[in-house]
Amino acid sequence: RREGREEARLRRGHNGEEEEEETIRWLNFFMEVFWPHFAKFLETFILSFEDVIQESLPVPGGLRFRTCSLGKEPLQLGPIRPRVIPGHHNGEFVEECGLELEIGVTWRAETDIVLASKLGYTVGIDGASLSGTISVILRPLMGKL
């Protein structure tokens, strides 16, 4: 095992063979550094829906954002499981036609999003979590550009 290589563990794949999963610490480090900027972008995007919320929810006094924060905890990625996948290319079945990357995603957010009306009513989100898998498929892999 090469020094500096991410820790890997074996897991059974769809075909019963053992497949390697790796952590992606470098990408999580990037997310940690980039998160404040990305969160600010998302918060601005969420705030842009204020007029749509006003029109969709007939609340006496209207609703306005009092706070909108996605927190300081960044999205965590990993493990990642790469594998070669079959597919069709130029009308023919190809056993090694593409690459699939299954990437685990976890986010335990300390959100603070509050909508308030002029009459004193409030509704908000005080925390959220997301857990799942993103599948990226690159296919067909071609020998020429």
Side-chain angles (χ1 to χ4, degrees), residues 6-37:
E6 302 287 341
E7 288 183 26
R9 63 180 183 274
L10 296 176
R11 176 176 158 176
R12 297 267 172 209
H14 298 297
N15 59 6
E17 294 179 10
E18 289 186 340
E19 296 175 338
E20 193 174 271
E21 287 185 338
E22 296 189 17
T23 62
I24 43 180
R25 287 186 292 224
W26 66 271
L27 193 51
N28 285 320
F29 173 77
F30 171 80
M31 287 301 296
E32 191 174 313
V33 171
F34 183 67
W35 181 253
H37 307 285

Side-chain angles (χ1 to χ4, degrees), residues 51-63:
D51 291 338
V52 174
I53 293 169
Q54 288 282 343
E55 294 171 11
S56 302
L57 298 172
V59 175
L63 285 175

Side-chain angles (χ1 to χ4, degrees), residues 2 10 27 35 46 56-57 65 77 92 97-98 109 119-120 126:
R2 284 184 6 214
L10 296 176
L27 193 51
W35 181 253
I46 291 167
S56 302
L57 298 172
F65 280 99
L77 301 171
E92 294 182 25
C97 184
L119 299 177
D126 184 27

Side-chain angles (χ1 to χ4, degrees), residues 15 20-21 58 70 73 87 96-98 101 103-105 109-110 126-127 130:
N15 59 6
E20 193 174 271
E21 287 185 338
L70 296 179
E73 277 301 310
E96 295 182 355
C97 184
L101 301 172
I103 305 167
V105 177
E110 297 171 353
D126 184 27
L130 170 75

